[in-house]
């Protein structure tokens, strides 16, 4: 076994690898960028090495610096985690050339599966079913459009490199093919440096079911059952589970056998995942699944497999990479219970799942686990850490395990309702709504479920009078009064002729709320809300609501939803420099494409520019008719709130019309 390994990653996966390594007596070396100088994974590791500036291209994607750090610290092997360089065969070659061990598959195996088109041709030869489509080398638009017509609409354009839904477009009609292809190519080029695509038949009711496989250098390959990853938004996974709901013995046998066959075809060693697309329009059938792609690394959702098998996949990675055989045979790997993983992100679900940044002023996960369940939290952040615009905005993965799907789903809902995060917009409310959705609860899941139910799943009820009263009470500072039997407390609300009233101004979004808070001698507080609420709430000092106070804000938690109220400083002056008639960036990003010009008259809904954030493209459209006075330049790097478009003689805009492709 290794004495020391370097982890070429960050965040929750780096922390996850460090924990297993520590349990096995293996020392760990972390690497970090400027943005991660004080990150949790740096604190947890035995050693840490700075490798560059905040952008990933200047740090976590610098294989030369990572290898130099491994050599300088005496690490014997490099664990890539997932993302960044984890599926880069050139990096694997460089690691091997430096006489280090790559904790993962060979460069040859990664190359064999790294390009979707070549991988599908290989799988066809191995007898693994593949989705009908065009997987050839030619990339002329005329040829691709012709192939799309042959396949039959709707079709799916997919980047042949990478994953995560980047460079992917569903096309319903031939007239839309050209624009969709251009968008897919731009996004693929930005994300993977390769703009080549393939075109496939779009399955009407697709299920995304994948099989975890594991191989060693002795030719042994086993599967660790399947995971269902059909709950997706923008082709990216949201909640994963195992076993797949509705899975039949016949389909499981066919899929796992195909997965093992695929791994053996490329002499695979290490952890990997074979992803299949399943047509669920007529139920799960053994002849209605097709190979989609292989991820030649550990998956983000691997903890659900660990929960139902009791196997530490990171431990297996270290053992296999150090030259050991697989610790168990296929007959020794059992499936027990049901597990879910929910990905908690800094994102605004109500605004098309836009990435959100911010400081996590309050971060509290449920403890202990819901009754009858086991739970684990995988995170790379602590309270006070910031969600950086440079990397994926994942905050944590919440994983629960129960005796069956119903018990596990109940535990997931309870755990989400007890999670408290303030300082950034997060998706916990959306996740809880999805877990409670009737179709999801029944196991009637496909990759289109979220988009069909998106309005209901992302809708947030306005705060109740009780919630507003709790925020006003917290903002007033009244709850700072002592809660013990202090004899002076009886005088807290005393005034000679009338009770002391404190007038509070709160802002919920753009709405201003006025509340009057008074302290009564009986240790209760009275909060009266002005119109349109016109309600009075009395609160006992000893029955505090779930809330968090942070600079200039109060967040009140109701279930999985955090209602954020701004508390304006009454002495603060309005920003006199605020631009009038301006359209601002809703998030940090890169102006990828400008579709309008200065002096041009535009109409409501007209696309003005494309903003790239987190390697995804977002189309920003005109919120109303107007004349453009100024517009951002292509290639401009902007921050949240940067003026993108300024309209001539128009009132200031407070909202951005935005759609995500």
């Amino acid at each position: 076994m290794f004495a020391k390994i370097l982890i070429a990653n960050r965040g929750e996966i780096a922390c996850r690898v460090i924990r297993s390594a520590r349990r096995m007596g293996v020392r760990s070396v972390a690497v970090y960028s400027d943005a991660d100088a004080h990150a949790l994974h740096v604190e947890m590791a035995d050693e840490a090495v700075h490798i560059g500036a905040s952008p990933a291209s200047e740090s976590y994607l610098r294989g030369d610096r990572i290898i130099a750090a491994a050599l300088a610290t005496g690490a014997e092997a490099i664990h890539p985690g997932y993302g960044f360089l984890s599926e880069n065969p050139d990096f694997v070659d460089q690691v091997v050339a430096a006489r280090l061990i790559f904790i993962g598959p060979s460069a040859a195996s990664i190359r064999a599966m790294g390009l979707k088109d070549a991988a599908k041709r290989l799988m066809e030869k191995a007898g693994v079913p593949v989705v009908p489509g065009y997987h050839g080398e030619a990339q002329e638009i005329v040829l691709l459009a012709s192939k799309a017509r042959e396949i039959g609409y709707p079709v799916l354009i997919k980047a042949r490199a990478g994953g995560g839904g980047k460079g992917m477009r569903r096309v319903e009609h031939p007239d839309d093919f050209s624009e969709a292809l251009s968008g897919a190519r731009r996004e693929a080029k930005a994300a993977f440096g390769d703009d080549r695509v393939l075109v496939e038949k779009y399955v009407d009711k697709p299920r995304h079911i994948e099989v975890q496989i594991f191989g060693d250098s002795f030719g042994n390959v086993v599967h660790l059952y399947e995971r269902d990853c059909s709950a997706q938004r923008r082709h990216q996974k949201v909640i994963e589970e195992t076993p797949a709901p509705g899975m039949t013995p016949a389909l499981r046998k066919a899929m796992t056998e195909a997965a093992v066959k695929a791994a053996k075809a490329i002499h695979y060693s290490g952890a990997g995942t074979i992803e299949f697309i399943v047509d669920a329009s007529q139920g799960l059938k053994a002849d209605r699944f097709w190979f989609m792609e292989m991820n030649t690394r550990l998956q983000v959702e691997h903890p659900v497999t660990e929960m139902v098998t009791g196997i530490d996949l990171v431990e297996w990675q270290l053992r296999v990479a150090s030259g050991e055989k697989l610790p168990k045979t296929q007959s020794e790997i059992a499936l027990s219970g049901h597990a879910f993983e929910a990905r908690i992100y800094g994102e605004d679900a109500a605004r098309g799942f836009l990435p959100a940044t911010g400081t996590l002023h309050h971060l509290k996960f449920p403890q202990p686990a819901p009754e009858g369940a086991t739970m684990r939290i995988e995170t790379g952040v602590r309270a006070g850490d910031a969600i950086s615009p440079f990397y994926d905005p994942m905050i944590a993965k919440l994983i629960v395990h129960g005796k069956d799907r119903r018990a596990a789903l109940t535990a997931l809902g309870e755990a989400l309702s007890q999670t408290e995060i303030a300082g950034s917009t997060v998706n916990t409310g959306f996740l809880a709504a999805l877990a409670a959705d009737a179709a999801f609860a029944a196991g009637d899941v496909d990759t289109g479920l979220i988009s069909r139910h998106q309005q209901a799943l992302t809708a947030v009820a306005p705060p109740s009078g009780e919630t507003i009263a709790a925020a006003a009470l917290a903002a007033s500072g009244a709850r700072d009064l002592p809660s013990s039997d202090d004899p002076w407390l009886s005088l807290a609300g005393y005034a000679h002729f009338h009770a002391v009233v404190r007038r509070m101004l709160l802002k919920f979004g753009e709405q201003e709320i006025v509340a009057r808070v008074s302290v009564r001698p009986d240790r209760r507080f009275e909060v009266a809300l002005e119109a349109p609420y016109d309600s009075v709430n009395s609160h006992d000092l000893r029955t505090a609501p779930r809330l968090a106070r942070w600079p200039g804000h109060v967040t009140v938690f109701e279930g999985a939803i955090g209602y954020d109220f701004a508390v304006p400083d009454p002495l603060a002056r309005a920003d006199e420099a605020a631009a009038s008639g301006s359209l601002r960036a809703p998030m940090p990003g890169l102006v990828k494409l400008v579709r309008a010009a200065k002096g041009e008259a535009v109409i409501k809904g007209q696309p003005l520019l494309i903003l790239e954030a987190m390697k995804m493209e977002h189309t920003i459209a005109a919120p109303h008719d107007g004349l453009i006075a100024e517009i951002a330049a292509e290639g401009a790097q902007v921050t949240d709130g940067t003026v993108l478009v300024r309209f001539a003689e128009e009132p200031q805009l407070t909202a951005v019309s935005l759609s995500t492709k």
Side-chain angles (χ1 to χ4, degrees):
M1 181 49 61
F2 306 117
K4 183 188 292 186
I5 65 171
L6 180 141
I7 302 160
N9 219 294
R10 63 177 300 280
E12 54 87 18
I13 184 54
C15 296
R16 163 76 187 87
V17 175
I18 290 170
R19 282 194 295 272
S20 284
R22 180 178 297 159
R23 183 177 55 78
M24 298 173 68
V26 178
R27 292 177 60 81
S28 59
V29 179
V31 293
Y32 64 93
S33 67
D34 289 347
D36 284 338
H38 303 289
L40 181 59
H41 76 281
V42 174
E43 179 183 297
M44 289 179 61
D46 296 296
E47 301 174 59
V49 179
H50 177 255
I51 55 170
S54 299
S57 60
E58 299 177 38
S59 50
Y60 296 106
L61 291 174
R62 289 293 302 269
D64 56 338
R65 295 180 183 177
I66 290 170
I67 291 171
L71 294 173
T73 56
E76 303 155 77
I78 295 178
H79 193 300
Y82 37 70
F84 296 134
L85 296 171
S86 62
E87 293 181 283
N88 186 319
D90 294 336
F91 176 63
V92 178
D93 286 337
Q94 293 164 10
V95 171
V96 173
R99 297 187 179 181
L100 298 168
I101 295 175
F102 182 76
I103 303 175
S106 67
S109 292
I110 295 175
R111 287 191 175 97
M113 289 297 189
L115 299 176
K116 295 183 179 72
D117 51 357
K120 290 182 179 182
R121 292 194 295 269
L122 178 63
M123 290 299 97
E124 284 180 306
K125 291 181 182 179
V128 177
V130 300
V131 181
Y134 173 71
H135 308 132
E137 290 288 340
Q139 293 289 300
E140 293 81 6
I141 184 172
V142 175
L143 173 66
L144 294 176
S146 174
K147 292 296 182 183
R149 289 181 183 274
E150 290 178 16
I151 296 165
Y153 285 88
V155 298
L156 194 64
I157 300 173
K158 298 172 65 176
R160 75 169 194 162
K166 299 179 179 68
M168 185 180 294
R169 297 290 190 277
R170 176 181 174 175
V171 189
E172 297 283 350
H173 192 274
D175 292 346
D176 302 325
F177 187 84
S178 178
E179 184 172 357
L181 177 62
S182 297
R185 281 176 165 167
R186 283 195 307 271
E187 201 167 88
K189 184 70 173 178
F192 317 119
D194 185 343
D195 66 356
R196 287 170 289 184
V197 300
L198 49 86
V199 183
E200 293 181 343
K201 177 65 180 174
Y202 184 84
V203 180
D204 288 331
K205 191 175 182 181
R207 288 270 295 273
H208 181 147
I209 301 178
E210 60 190 29
V211 176
Q212 175 73 60
I213 59 93
F214 223 109
D216 63 23
S217 58
F218 300 91
N220 302 306
V221 177
V222 297
H223 72 80
L224 291 91
Y225 302 97
E226 80 282 352
R227 296 185 289 257
D228 194 304
C229 307
S230 301
Q232 302 178 3
R233 89 287 190 265
R234 299 190 318 195
H235 306 294
Q236 294 180 313
K237 301 167 187 175
V238 174
I239 294 180
E240 301 98 345
E241 63 180 300
T242 183
M247 176 59 70
T248 65
L251 179 57
R252 176 174 290 146
K253 182 175 186 295
M255 289 185 74
T256 54
E257 287 179 353
V260 170
K261 185 186 296 185
K264 287 185 174 181
I266 58 171
H267 309 289
Y268 196 81
S269 178
T273 302
I274 310 295
E275 300 192 352
F276 296 101
I277 196 78
V278 182
D279 183 355
S281 60
Q282 300 177 14
L284 299 184
K285 298 182 181 295
D287 62 348
R288 303 293 290 170
F289 76 96
W290 302 279
F291 172 85
M292 187 164 57
E293 63 184 1
M294 181 179 188
N295 287 301
T296 51
R297 53 170 168 78
L298 199 65
Q299 290 279 84
V300 177
E301 59 271 21
H302 77 273
V304 293
T305 295
E306 295 182 324
M307 294 289 259
V308 297
T309 62
I311 292 171
D312 183 332
L313 296 182
V314 173
E315 177 184 340
W316 276 33
Q317 284 187 299
L318 298 185
R319 293 194 180 283
V320 166
S322 66
E324 297 182 22
K325 289 185 177 181
L326 290 176
K328 290 187 177 183
T329 62
Q330 189 67 67
S331 62
E332 295 175 309
I333 302 172
L335 183 66
S336 175
H338 201 101
F340 284 95
E341 174 182 289
R343 302 187 186 191
I344 300 176
Y345 274 90
E347 66 179 13
D348 193 339
R351 297 176 66 200
F353 302 101
L354 287 178
T357 56
T359 299
L360 302 172
H361 291 281
H362 179 81
L363 183 65
K364 181 180 179 182
F365 296 111
Q367 291 294 340
E371 186 176 356
T374 54
M375 179 184 68
R376 61 192 256 197
I377 304 294
E378 297 287 353
T379 185
V381 297
R382 302 147 297 189
D385 287 348
I387 302 174
S388 168
F390 296 104
Y391 315 116
D392 185 275
M394 180 186 287
I395 296 171
K397 301 184 305 192
L398 191 157
I399 308 104
V400 296
H401 177 269
K403 63 179 181 179
D404 53 33
R405 188 175 190 271
R406 186 173 184 177
L409 189 57
T410 299
L412 177 64
E414 291 180 6
L416 286 168
S417 70
Q418 296 168 26
T419 299
E420 300 176 5
I421 303 174
S424 174
T425 303
V426 295
N427 67 341
T428 49
F430 160 71
L431 293 171
L434 177 59
D437 179 81
F440 186 84
D444 184 15
V445 187
D446 63 80
T447 58
L449 172 67
I450 291 176
S451 61
R452 291 194 303 273
H453 299 186
Q454 185 166 332
Q455 185 173 355
L457 293 174
T458 59
V460 178
S464 64
E466 191 75 15
T467 297
I468 297 171
L473 191 58
S476 72
R479 284 201 174 276
D480 293 334
L481 293 170
S483 58
S484 63
D485 292 328
D486 187 333
W488 293 103
L489 187 60
S490 61
L491 300 178
Y494 175 79
H496 191 62
F497 295 107
H498 54 78
V500 175
V501 177
R502 188 174 303 178
R503 188 175 185 272
M504 297 300 305
L505 175 64
L506 303 175
K507 289 192 70 175
F508 181 72
E510 296 300 316
Q511 180 184 10
E512 290 192 348
I513 303 170
V514 177
R516 297 186 305 278
V517 179
S518 57
V519 186
R520 304 192 329 196
D522 63 355
R523 300 192 184 190
R524 295 176 68 83
F525 301 91
E526 187 172 277
V527 183
L529 305 179
E530 295 184 1
Y533 296 95
D534 291 329
S535 60
V536 177
N537 298 269
S538 294
H539 298 272
D540 193 310
L541 182 65
R542 289 162 289 190
T543 57
R546 295 166 56 218
L547 56 83
R549 291 190 299 183
W550 46 289
H553 295 260
V554 172
T555 300
V556 181
F557 301 100
E558 284 190 13
I561 299 173
Y563 290 96
D564 175 39
F565 298 87
V567 184
D569 182 349
L571 300 179
R573 296 173 61 108
D575 182 4
E576 297 176 357
S580 176
S582 58
L583 186 64
R584 298 175 182 272
M587 59 194 158
L590 174 72
V591 179
K592 193 71 174 179
L593 187 67
V594 176
R595 292 185 169 182
K598 180 178 179 180
E600 181 179 346
V602 297
I603 61 174
K604 181 179 179 179
Q606 179 178 334
L608 302 181
L609 51 82
I610 293 177
L611 188 67
E612 181 187 271
M614 306 296 181
K615 299 300 183 183
M616 299 292 283
E617 291 186 353
H618 310 272
T619 299
I620 295 181
H624 60 65
D625 297 352
L627 184 69
I628 295 180
E630 295 179 28
I631 190 165
E634 282 188 15
Q637 190 76 43
V638 299
T639 59
D640 188 1
T642 298
V643 175
L644 297 176
V645 181
R646 198 182 304 278
F647 292 91
E649 299 180 2
E650 291 288 343
Q652 185 171 355
L653 306 172
T654 57
V656 170
S657 174
L658 180 146
S659 63
T660 302
K661 291 185 177 180

